[in-house]
Amino acid sequence: MTQVKKIGILTSGGDCSGLNSVIRNVVFAANSKGWEVVGIFDATDGLFSRPMRYRDLKVSDFDFPYAALGGTMLGTNNTGNPHIQKKADGTTEELTDEELNERFKEGVKELGISALIVVGGDGSMAIVSKYCKMAGISMIGIPKTIDNDAPGTDKAIGFATAVGVVTNALDNLTTTATSHNRIMIAEVMGRGAGHLALDAGVAGFADVILVPEIRYTYENVVAKLKEIQKKGKRFGLVVIAEGVKTPEGKHIFAANGKTFQGVSQYFVEHLQEEGFNVRANVLGHIQRAGVPVPSDRLLAARFATWAIDLIANGADNRVVVYQAGRVTDMDLNMVLKIANTPVDPNGALVKTARSLGIYVGEED
Ligand code: F6P
């Protein structure tokens, strides 16, 4: 068994709610073993930049309720190029692969850490794991994403809170929708996965839910909205995942040209032509915010303590996962072999939605 004295933690990829709860619980679980924790700023950038950017994390740091806030107190990065690093004077410098390797090794040595917890996606874990191997320390991953498509785990940190945020937004849109006899469209995040749209759509009593995993026809969207009007319903609620293609099979991109955004506007333009009174709302990054709900905090508690036990037992290259109601762990290489987990078109929630009369696309 390795003699652990000090461990590191970093957050990587898009932020979400619950990251601070993980950080807090890692610090408390490590502290009860008598270990010290250091938080690396801005994913791996804190280790690559000179001077390094990090902070010691102590139990007393959480006298302020960071753990109950969204975002990450360590900062993160989902676009960064590690080869370009900030210098103390604000300018940047370009580093080669070799220099990055050296800086990581040097950083780990200076901090005196024997393990690094990566709270992020499997892509980040894979990258950091290589550096850790080379520096001779272990890597333990904790999955987070509001998209809930992380391979190997039924639940990721941040998803439950995001479902709450979107459900709340749908409730709020409903009041205007019913007051004005309107069709309200909510466009939600999820890249290629529709979990957030599906869960929040059912929780928020939507009439139509479109996800990238299920084929739909524009005609049947219109038919559903006409049907609910005929039944005397004053409003319609449509939830569209950002990764849904237009009926012509095109993705709509945000101005950055990388992330999806704007498919709801396509529907507004076309539904208006059909005579509907319709508005679109792109919920955007508020979906990654909010006070973490208790189930995310509980997941953070279970994942953090599991990660600390893994380190105590000398494990390396493992990812903490939640499967069929239990927390366990998997080898990172196994996780990387599994594709991201999309919505199952024949899954229980899709069936529930159909039983409720929600149009969720075609039954193939
Ligand atoms: O992966 C999480 C996610 O929230 C996606 O659903 C979304 O498309 C993306 O991040 C947006 O990321 P950003 O705008 O921060 O680059």
Side-chain angles (χ1 to χ4, degrees), residues 216-223 247 266-267 270-272 274 359:
Y216 72 93
T217 70
Y218 176 73
E219 292 68 30
N220 282 341
V221 172
V222 172
Y266 174 98
F267 278 86
H270 289 78
L271 290 172
Q272 251 163 8
E274 309 269 350
Y359 178 65

Side-chain angles (χ1 to χ4, degrees), residues 162-163 165-171 173-174 183-190 193-214 216 221 224-225 228 235-244 263-264 267 271 278-283 287 353 358-361:
V163 171
V165 169
V166 176
T167 304
N168 192 30
L170 296 180
D171 289 348
L173 291 174
T174 298
I183 305 294
M184 277 294 184
I185 304 181
E187 180 176 319
V188 310
M189 281 185 170
H195 296 287
L196 186 53
L198 181 62
D199 280 43
V202 173
F205 313 115
D207 301 292
V208 173
I209 303 171
L210 301 182
V211 295
E213 297 89 339
I214 306 179
Y216 72 93
V221 172
K224 173 53 69 179
L225 296 177
I228 59 167
F235 71 95
L237 198 54
V238 178
V239 179
I240 306 185
E242 62 182 4
V244 166
V263 64
S264 53
F267 278 86
L271 290 172
V278 55
R279 298 285 190 277
N281 298 265
V282 177
L283 302 186
Q287 295 165 92
I358 303 172
Y359 178 65
V360 275

Side-chain angles (χ1 to χ4, degrees), residues 14 78-79 145-147 189-191 242 256 259-260 285 288:
N78 69 347
T79 48
T145 169
I146 66 160
D147 302 345
M189 281 185 170
R191 269 183 320 192
E242 62 182 4
N256 63 22
T259 43
F260 299 133
H285 293 82
R288 300 221 300 239

Side-chain angles (χ1 to χ4, degrees), residues 30 48 72 111 114 116 133 145 155 161 169 199 203-204 222 234-235 255 257 268 280 316 318 322 329 335 350 360:
F48 291 137
T72 162
L111 296 177
S114 55
L116 184 56
K133 200 160 281 157
T145 169
K155 286 186 186 181
T161 303
D199 280 43
V222 172
R234 281 180 60 87
F235 71 95
V268 168
D316 179 22
R318 307 290 298 178
Y322 184 91
D329 54 273
V335 170
V350 172
V360 275

